[in-house]
PDB file of all heavy atoms in Angstrom:
ATOM      1  N   VAL A 104     122.424  40.217  61.366  1.00  0.00           N
ATOM      2  CA  VAL A 104     123.156  41.525  61.150  1.00  0.00           C
ATOM      3  C   VAL A 104     122.468  42.328  59.881  1.00  0.00           C
ATOM      4  O   VAL A 104     122.250  43.531  59.968  1.00  0.00           O
ATOM      5  CB  VAL A 104     124.549  41.263  60.724  1.00  0.00           C
ATOM      6  CG1 VAL A 104     125.331  42.531  60.384  1.00  0.00           C
ATOM      7  CG2 VAL A 104     125.410  40.534  61.961  1.00  0.00           C
ATOM      8  N   ALA A 105     122.097  41.542  58.876  1.00  0.00           N
ATOM      9  CA  ALA A 105     121.555  42.117  57.607  1.00  0.00           C
ATOM     10  C   ALA A 105     120.107  42.667  57.994  1.00  0.00           C
ATOM     11  O   ALA A 105     119.660  43.664  57.392  1.00  0.00           O
ATOM     12  CB  ALA A 105     121.434  41.154  56.580  1.00  0.00           C
ATOM     13  N   ALA A 106     119.379  41.987  58.934  1.00  0.00           N
ATOM     14  CA  ALA A 106     118.095  42.405  59.274  1.00  0.00           C
ATOM     15  C   ALA A 106     118.094  43.434  60.348  1.00  0.00           C
ATOM     16  O   ALA A 106     116.990  43.912  60.695  1.00  0.00           O
ATOM     17  CB  ALA A 106     117.285  41.164  59.613  1.00  0.00           C
ATOM     18  N   ALA A 107     119.172  43.836  60.951  1.00  0.00           N
ATOM     19  CA  ALA A 107     119.153  44.654  62.208  1.00  0.00           C
ATOM     20  C   ALA A 107     118.351  45.944  61.754  1.00  0.00           C
ATOM     21  O   ALA A 107     118.545  46.449  60.682  1.00  0.00           O
ATOM     22  CB  ALA A 107     120.504  44.983  62.554  1.00  0.00           C
ATOM     23  N   GLY A 108     117.431  46.351  62.805  1.00  0.00           N
ATOM     24  CA  GLY A 108     116.726  47.572  62.651  1.00  0.00           C
ATOM     25  C   GLY A 108     115.396  47.322  61.896  1.00  0.00           C
ATOM     26  O   GLY A 108     114.558  48.220  61.678  1.00  0.00           O
ATOM     27  N   ALA A 109     115.151  46.186  61.365  1.00  0.00           N
ATOM     28  CA  ALA A 109     114.054  45.946  60.459  1.00  0.00           C
ATOM     29  C   ALA A 109     112.834  45.524  61.397  1.00  0.00           C
ATOM     30  O   ALA A 109     112.909  45.224  62.514  1.00  0.00           O
ATOM     31  CB  ALA A 109     114.203  44.684  59.478  1.00  0.00           C
ATOM     32  N   VAL A 110     111.657  45.823  60.846  1.00  0.00           N
ATOM     33  CA  VAL A 110     110.317  45.432  61.373  1.00  0.00           C
ATOM     34  C   VAL A 110     109.885  44.055  60.709  1.00  0.00           C
ATOM     35  O   VAL A 110     109.791  44.130  59.576  1.00  0.00           O
ATOM     36  CB  VAL A 110     109.331  46.367  61.349  1.00  0.00           C
ATOM     37  CG1 VAL A 110     107.931  45.916  61.938  1.00  0.00           C
ATOM     38  CG2 VAL A 110     109.807  47.664  62.193  1.00  0.00           C
ATOM     39  N   LEU A 111     109.515  43.017  61.394  1.00  0.00           N
ATOM     40  CA  LEU A 111     109.002  41.916  60.739  1.00  0.00           C
ATOM     41  C   LEU A 111     107.599  41.669  61.182  1.00  0.00           C
ATOM     42  O   LEU A 111     107.096  41.821  62.365  1.00  0.00           O
ATOM     43  CB  LEU A 111     109.764  40.604  61.259  1.00  0.00           C
ATOM     44  CG  LEU A 111     109.349  39.351  60.780  1.00  0.00           C
ATOM     45  CD1 LEU A 111     109.526  39.186  59.296  1.00  0.00           C
ATOM     46  CD2 LEU A 111     110.339  38.216  61.443  1.00  0.00           C
ATOM     47  N   ALA A 112     106.713  41.525  60.240  1.00  0.00           N
ATOM     48  CA  ALA A 112     105.344  41.448  60.406  1.00  0.00           C
ATOM     49  C   ALA A 112     104.659  40.185  59.741  1.00  0.00           C
ATOM     50  O   ALA A 112     105.121  39.741  58.683  1.00  0.00           O
ATOM     51  CB  ALA A 112     104.590  42.739  60.020  1.00  0.00           C
ATOM     52  N   ILE A 113     103.741  39.557  60.452  1.00  0.00           N
ATOM     53  CA  ILE A 113     102.891  38.487  59.945  1.00  0.00           C
ATOM     54  C   ILE A 113     101.564  39.116  59.646  1.00  0.00           C
ATOM     55  O   ILE A 113     100.989  39.675  60.501  1.00  0.00           O
ATOM     56  CB  ILE A 113     102.738  37.259  60.829  1.00  0.00           C
ATOM     57  CG1 ILE A 113     104.066  36.672  61.163  1.00  0.00           C
ATOM     58  CG2 ILE A 113     101.721  36.311  60.235  1.00  0.00           C
ATOM     59  CD1 ILE A 113     103.879  35.535  62.112  1.00  0.00           C
ATOM     60  N   THR A 114     101.072  38.978  58.459  1.00  0.00           N
ATOM     61  CA  THR A 114      99.714  39.590  58.050  1.00  0.00           C
ATOM     62  C   THR A 114      98.786  38.454  57.543  1.00  0.00           C
ATOM     63  O   THR A 114      99.207  37.673  56.816  1.00  0.00           O
ATOM     64  CB  THR A 114      99.856  40.726  56.994  1.00  0.00           C
ATOM     65  OG1 THR A 114     100.861  41.585  57.499  1.00  0.00           O
ATOM     66  CG2 THR A 114      98.540  41.362  56.825  1.00  0.00           C
ATOM     67  N   LEU A 115      97.608  38.479  58.184  1.00  0.00           N
ATOM     68  CA  LEU A 115      96.572  37.441  57.698  1.00  0.00           C
ATOM     69  C   LEU A 115      95.517  38.223  57.037  1.00  0.00           C
ATOM     70  O   LEU A 115      94.948  39.175  57.572  1.00  0.00           O
ATOM     71  CB  LEU A 115      96.070  36.615  58.925  1.00  0.00           C
ATOM     72  CG  LEU A 115      97.056  35.922  59.804  1.00  0.00           C
ATOM     73  CD1 LEU A 115      96.401  35.417  61.063  1.00  0.00           C
ATOM     74  CD2 LEU A 115      97.818  34.766  59.021  1.00  0.00           C
ATOM     75  N   GLU A 116      95.122  37.811  55.850  1.00  0.00           N
ATOM     76  CA  GLU A 116      93.975  38.562  55.150  1.00  0.00           C
ATOM     77  C   GLU A 116      93.018  37.550  54.631  1.00  0.00           C
ATOM     78  O   GLU A 116      93.249  36.786  53.762  1.00  0.00           O
ATOM     79  CB  GLU A 116      94.554  39.287  53.902  1.00  0.00           C
ATOM     80  CG  GLU A 116      95.387  40.476  54.329  1.00  0.00           C
ATOM     81  CD  GLU A 116      96.261  40.950  53.093  1.00  0.00           C
ATOM     82  OE1 GLU A 116      95.696  41.836  52.334  1.00  0.00           O
ATOM     83  OE2 GLU A 116      97.366  40.527  52.973  1.00  0.00           O
ATOM     84  N   PRO A 117      91.812  37.497  55.295  1.00  0.00           N
ATOM     85  CA  PRO A 117      90.797  36.514  54.846  1.00  0.00           C
ATOM     86  C   PRO A 117      90.267  37.016  53.514  1.00  0.00           C
ATOM     87  O   PRO A 117      90.234  38.168  53.276  1.00  0.00           O
ATOM     88  CB  PRO A 117      89.735  36.655  55.958  1.00  0.00           C
ATOM     89  CG  PRO A 117      90.267  37.445  57.002  1.00  0.00           C
ATOM     90  CD  PRO A 117      91.399  38.217  56.450  1.00  0.00           C
ATOM     91  N   TRP A 118      89.916  36.061  52.689  1.00  0.00           N
ATOM     92  CA  TRP A 118      89.339  36.582  51.357  1.00  0.00           C
ATOM     93  C   TRP A 118      87.849  37.075  51.618  1.00  0.00           C
ATOM     94  O   TRP A 118      87.526  37.986  50.837  1.00  0.00           O
ATOM     95  CB  TRP A 118      89.235  35.375  50.408  1.00  0.00           C
ATOM     96  CG  TRP A 118      90.478  34.822  49.819  1.00  0.00           C
ATOM     97  CD1 TRP A 118      90.708  33.359  49.655  1.00  0.00           C
ATOM     98  CD2 TRP A 118      91.697  35.359  49.513  1.00  0.00           C
ATOM     99  NE1 TRP A 118      91.996  33.237  49.082  1.00  0.00           N
ATOM    100  CE2 TRP A 118      92.616  34.403  49.050  1.00  0.00           C
ATOM    101  CE3 TRP A 118      92.108  36.662  49.541  1.00  0.00           C
ATOM    102  CZ2 TRP A 118      93.892  34.679  48.592  1.00  0.00           C
ATOM    103  CZ3 TRP A 118      93.377  37.055  49.099  1.00  0.00           C
ATOM    104  CH2 TRP A 118      94.208  36.000  48.622  1.00  0.00           C
ATOM    105  N   GLN A 119      87.199  36.492  52.594  1.00  0.00           N
ATOM    106  CA  GLN A 119      85.822  36.985  52.700  1.00  0.00           C
ATOM    107  C   GLN A 119      85.721  37.621  54.095  1.00  0.00           C
ATOM    108  O   GLN A 119      86.221  38.629  54.367  1.00  0.00           O
ATOM    109  CB  GLN A 119      84.884  35.748  52.443  1.00  0.00           C
ATOM    110  CG  GLN A 119      84.753  35.557  51.021  1.00  0.00           C
ATOM    111  CD  GLN A 119      84.265  34.124  50.686  1.00  0.00           C
ATOM    112  OE1 GLN A 119      84.001  33.250  51.535  1.00  0.00           O
ATOM    113  NE2 GLN A 119      84.066  33.861  49.364  1.00  0.00           N
ATOM    114  N   ARG A 120      84.927  36.911  55.040  1.00  0.00           N
ATOM    115  CA  ARG A 120      84.528  37.591  56.166  1.00  0.00           C
ATOM    116  C   ARG A 120      85.841  37.727  57.072  1.00  0.00           C
ATOM    117  O   ARG A 120      86.774  37.114  56.909  1.00  0.00           O
ATOM    118  CB  ARG A 120      83.493  36.759  56.884  1.00  0.00           C
ATOM    119  CG  ARG A 120      82.157  37.041  56.518  1.00  0.00           C
ATOM    120  CD  ARG A 120      81.204  35.736  56.850  1.00  0.00           C
ATOM    121  NE  ARG A 120      81.398  34.721  55.896  1.00  0.00           N
ATOM    122  CZ  ARG A 120      81.654  33.510  56.273  1.00  0.00           C
ATOM    123  NH1 ARG A 120      81.740  33.077  57.467  1.00  0.00           N
ATOM    124  NH2 ARG A 120      81.887  32.483  55.208  1.00  0.00           N
ATOM    125  N   GLY A 121      85.660  38.599  58.047  1.00  0.00           N
ATOM    126  CA  GLY A 121      86.821  38.778  59.006  1.00  0.00           C
ATOM    127  C   GLY A 121      87.708  39.871  58.653  1.00  0.00           C
ATOM    128  O   GLY A 121      87.759  40.345  57.728  1.00  0.00           O
ATOM    129  N   GLU A 122      88.427  40.266  59.737  1.00  0.00           N
ATOM    130  CA  GLU A 122      89.356  41.306  59.688  1.00  0.00           C
ATOM    131  C   GLU A 122      90.763  40.914  59.268  1.00  0.00           C
ATOM    132  O   GLU A 122      91.126  39.861  59.522  1.00  0.00           O
ATOM    133  CB  GLU A 122      89.513  41.955  61.072  1.00  0.00           C
ATOM    134  CG  GLU A 122      88.265  42.405  61.707  1.00  0.00           C
ATOM    135  CD  GLU A 122      88.001  43.941  61.442  1.00  0.00           C
ATOM    136  OE1 GLU A 122      88.944  44.701  61.850  1.00  0.00           O
ATOM    137  OE2 GLU A 122      87.082  44.341  60.845  1.00  0.00           O
ATOM    138  N   ARG A 123      91.418  41.793  58.622  1.00  0.00           N
ATOM    139  CA  ARG A 123      92.930  41.595  58.402  1.00  0.00           C
ATOM    140  C   ARG A 123      93.597  41.852  59.745  1.00  0.00           C
ATOM    141  O   ARG A 123      93.183  42.631  60.623  1.00  0.00           O
ATOM    142  CB  ARG A 123      93.306  42.826  57.461  1.00  0.00           C
ATOM    143  CG  ARG A 123      94.751  42.892  57.133  1.00  0.00           C
ATOM    144  CD  ARG A 123      94.824  44.050  56.065  1.00  0.00           C
ATOM    145  NE  ARG A 123      96.191  44.230  55.622  1.00  0.00           N
ATOM    146  CZ  ARG A 123      97.108  44.953  56.239  1.00  0.00           C
ATOM    147  NH1 ARG A 123      96.714  45.662  57.351  1.00  0.00           N
ATOM    148  NH2 ARG A 123      98.376  45.041  55.821  1.00  0.00           N
ATOM    149  N   TYR A 124      94.548  40.762  59.972  1.00  0.00           N
ATOM    150  CA  TYR A 124      95.154  40.850  61.268  1.00  0.00           C
ATOM    151  C   TYR A 124      96.648  41.039  60.945  1.00  0.00           C
ATOM    152  O   TYR A 124      97.187  40.348  60.052  1.00  0.00           O
ATOM    153  CB  TYR A 124      94.970  39.601  61.950  1.00  0.00           C
ATOM    154  CG  TYR A 124      95.842  39.368  63.161  1.00  0.00           C
ATOM    155  CD1 TYR A 124      95.673  39.925  64.439  1.00  0.00           C
ATOM    156  CD2 TYR A 124      97.105  38.598  62.980  1.00  0.00           C
ATOM    157  CE1 TYR A 124      96.647  39.801  65.458  1.00  0.00           C
ATOM    158  CE2 TYR A 124      97.983  38.416  63.926  1.00  0.00           C
ATOM    159  CZ  TYR A 124      97.677  38.932  65.165  1.00  0.00           C
ATOM    160  OH  TYR A 124      98.589  38.808  66.166  1.00  0.00           O
TER     161      TYR A 124
END
Side-chain angles (χ1 to χ4, degrees):
V104 176
V110 174
L111 177 61
I113 296 180
T114 307
L115 306 173
E116 290 162 89
W118 293 144
Q119 283 159 358
R120 278 157 283 130
E122 297 268 302
R123 178 174 179 273
Y124 165 83

